[in-house]
Amino acid sequence: MLMADSTRGIFGWKLAGILFLAVLVAAIAPTGLAQSQSQQPATQQQPDQQAPEAGGPSGDSGPIALPKKPDNSDTTPPPAPSQPTFKNPEGAGNMSLRVEVPEVTVDVGVIVEKTHTFVPGLKPSNFRVYEDGVEQKVEGFKRTEAPITVLLLCEYAARGISFRIDMLNAAWAFTQQLRPNDYVAMMTFDLNSHIVSDFTQDKKQIQEGISELANGVYMPAAFQETAIFDALNQGLDRLSRIEGQKYIVLIASGVDTMSKLDLDQMLKKVKASQGITIFTISTGGLLEAMRGEGMTYLQADNQMKTFSDMTGGIHYAPRFPGELPDDVKEINQNIRSKYELVYHPTNAKQDGTFRKIHVELVDDEGQPLRMQDDKKKPLKYDIIARDGYRAKQEVE
C-alpha cells in the first residue's frame, strides 16, 4: 500500500516536470524567432525604399541622390555652343539702331553763256564734284525734267509805276509757261507781305490775282518802303516745310529800306536753305538807265544776283519789257532741265558745318570740257549749281 503510493508519487512528480518543460519551451520559442527575424537585412523589412536611379548610398534618413558619371563610351565631341542672343532688360521695350549715311544731291544746270540754253547730252563721266576741295565719287546721275514747285515773290510798292508794271509783266509771262502738274503760289510785299494765292495747280487762280493787282496799278500803292529781306525770309520759311526741290522767282527792285533783318543775316539764311533755288528778276531797268540812279540800284542788283548765285539760280536785269518773255522762258527751262548728281560725302561727320561745293566739266581724258558751235567756234558755258550746303547737326 505504502509502496503503491510511493510509486504514484514519483510518476506524478515526473509528469509534472515534463509538463513544466513543455510550457517553458513554448514560452521561449517565440522570443528566439523574433530575435532571429530582427537580424534580417533592412531591405527585407522596407522593400518600398528603392535606391534612386542616379545611384548613391542610403542612410538612416533615406536614399541620397548623387549624379551619375557620364558615359564616356561615345567619343563624339559635343556640338559648338549657339551664338548668344541679347535680351532686353526686364521692363525695357524693344530697341532698334538706325545709322544714317549722309547723302548729298546736287542739281546742276549747264547753260550756254551766249544763248542761255540748256546743254543736253552730258554723261556722268563729264562731271567732277568737289566738297571742300576733296573730289567726291558720283554714285547717282540722271537728267530731270519734272513738275516744279515755285513761289512768285513780287514787290508791289509805291516806288514808281514802272517798277510795278515790270513786275506784273514778268509774273504774267511766267504763268504762261506753267504746266498742269506744277505747283505755284504768289506773295507780294511792300512794307509788309501779302499772300495773293497759296500753292495751287490752277494757274488761272494765279492769273486772276495778277489781274486784280493790274486793275489798281495806276492807283497809289499803300507804302513806298520795302522790306525785301523780311519777305524773302518768310518765303524761305514757307518753302522749308515742303519736301523736294523748290524755287523762288523774286521779282523786285532789290532795294530794302525797312527790313528787320540786315543783309548779313539774310545771306546766312539763304546759305543755310536746303533744296531751294532762287531766280531773280530786277525791275525798273529802263528807268534806272534813264535816270542814272547810281549806287542804290547797282547795289540792289548785286544783292539780287548774290541770292541767285548762292543757290544755283540766275539773275536777270532786263532793260526793256520785250526781254521779259525770253527771260522767264529761260527760267522755266533751267528749272525743269537739270542734271541731278548724288554722292555720299567723304566727310561723314554730322557737325552742322557748311561744306563748299564746286562742280567742273571734263572730257573723256579728264581735261576741261570744251564746246563748239556748228561753225566750230568755241562756246562759253556756265555751270549753275549751289555753292554748298550745311551738314545736319547730330543729335546727342
Side-chain angles (χ1 to χ4, degrees):
M1 185 80 181
L2 178 59
M3 190 174 184
D5 293 335
S6 303
T7 304
R8 188 171 53 242
I10 294 171
F11 284 103
W13 283 109
K14 290 182 179 180
L15 178 61
I18 293 171
L19 292 173
F20 175 77
L21 289 175
V23 172
L24 181 62
V25 171
I28 294 174
T31 304
L33 179 61
Q35 291 178 350
S36 175
Q37 290 179 349
S38 65
Q39 294 177 1
Q40 295 296 322
T43 55
Q44 294 182 6
Q45 292 181 357
Q46 299 177 353
D48 57 327
Q49 291 190 355
Q50 298 291 332
E53 293 185 1
S58 60
D60 295 339
S61 59
I64 301 175
L66 296 177
K68 288 183 177 181
K69 292 183 179 181
D71 187 3
N72 295 328
S73 60
D74 187 2
T75 58
T76 303
S82 59
Q83 291 293 333
T85 57
F86 176 79
K87 294 184 178 180
N88 290 336
E90 185 177 355
N94 293 330
M95 300 177 65
S96 61
L97 178 63
R98 178 182 178 183
V99 179
E100 292 189 2
V101 179
E103 182 178 272
V104 179
T105 300
V106 185
D107 287 335
V108 182
V110 183
I111 309 299
V112 177
E113 189 175 282
K114 183 178 180 179
T115 61
H116 291 277
T117 55
F118 178 78
V119 178
L122 296 178
K123 302 175 294 184
S125 58
N126 292 132
F127 291 87
R128 295 284 187 273
V129 181
Y130 299 87
E131 181 179 302
D132 289 338
V134 180
E135 185 175 354
Q136 306 295 311
K137 181 181 179 182
V138 177
E139 301 178 4
F141 174 87
K142 66 179 179 180
R143 177 181 170 179
T144 62
E145 187 168 343
I148 60 175
T149 300
V150 60
L151 170 64
L152 290 174
L153 185 58
C154 306
E155 178 187 300
Y156 193 86
R159 183 168 300 280
I161 189 172
S162 62
F163 289 90
R164 297 197 296 272
I165 291 176
D166 284 350
M167 182 277 290
L168 293 170
N169 287 333
W172 183 268
F174 185 84
T175 62
Q176 297 296 102
Q177 308 289 327
L178 293 174
R179 300 178 184 177
N181 292 331
D182 296 335
Y183 279 94
V184 62
M186 184 174 181
M187 289 176 56
T188 60
F189 66 91
D190 43 26
L191 182 60
N192 303 302
S193 299
H194 314 276
I195 297 177
V196 176
S197 176
D198 207 342
F199 282 98
T200 179
Q201 289 182 310
D202 184 4
K203 73 176 184 179
K204 291 183 179 180
Q205 184 176 332
I206 302 295
Q207 291 175 339
E208 288 174 359
I210 296 174
S211 298
E212 290 181 6
L213 293 173
N215 291 334
V217 70
Y218 294 102
M219 300 295 292
F223 297 98
Q224 183 178 356
E225 305 296 339
T226 51
I228 184 174
F229 299 158
D230 290 347
L232 181 56
N233 180 57
Q234 293 178 28
L236 291 171
D237 286 342
R238 291 191 68 196
L239 289 178
S240 66
R241 297 189 289 268
I242 301 175
E243 295 184 357
Q245 180 66 33
K246 293 87 58 177
Y247 301 90
I248 292 178
V249 177
L250 176 59
I251 309 173
S253 66
V255 178
D256 188 284
T257 60
M258 291 293 290
S259 282
K260 298 176 182 178
L261 299 176
D262 58 27
L263 178 60
D264 289 340
Q265 291 173 319
M266 193 66 250
L267 292 178
K268 289 180 181 179
K269 183 65 174 286
V270 171
K271 181 179 287 189
S273 64
Q274 298 289 334
I276 301 176
T277 303
I278 303 174
F279 289 83
T280 53
I281 300 176
S282 292
T283 57
L286 180 59
L287 185 62
E288 293 174 33
M290 293 174 62
R291 289 182 179 179
E293 294 288 347
M295 291 300 297
T296 300
Y297 289 98
L298 179 60
Q299 181 181 354
D301 285 347
N302 287 335
Q303 290 174 174
M304 297 273 279
K305 187 176 187 303
T306 301
F307 297 151
S308 295
D309 291 345
M310 291 179 66
T311 59
I314 302 175
H315 172 247
Y316 297 87
R319 293 297 186 188
F320 304 99
E323 299 177 48
L324 287 173
D326 290 337
D327 290 346
V328 297
K329 183 178 180 180
E330 290 175 10
I331 292 175
N332 271 274
Q333 290 177 344
N334 292 328
I335 287 176
R336 299 181 192 282
S337 300
K338 296 284 185 181
Y339 292 104
E340 183 181 279
L341 311 179
V342 180
Y343 70 90
H344 295 98
T346 54
N347 181 4
K349 295 180 180 179
Q350 298 185 1
D351 52 9
T353 58
F354 185 79
R355 316 286 176 79
K356 191 169 182 61
I357 294 177
H358 177 67
V359 181
E360 295 179 353
L361 289 180
V362 298
D363 57 22
D364 294 338
E365 298 178 356
Q367 300 300 317
L369 183 64
R370 299 181 183 277
M371 297 184 185
Q372 296 178 341
D373 60 12
D374 296 338
K375 297 180 180 179
K376 304 298 181 180
K377 292 183 179 181
L379 289 176
K380 294 182 179 181
Y381 57 87
D382 294 321
I383 301 174
I384 311 299
R386 65 182 302 119
D387 64 350
Y389 72 99
R390 188 167 298 280
K392 292 183 178 181
Q393 182 68 51
E394 186 175 7
V395 179
E396 297 182 356

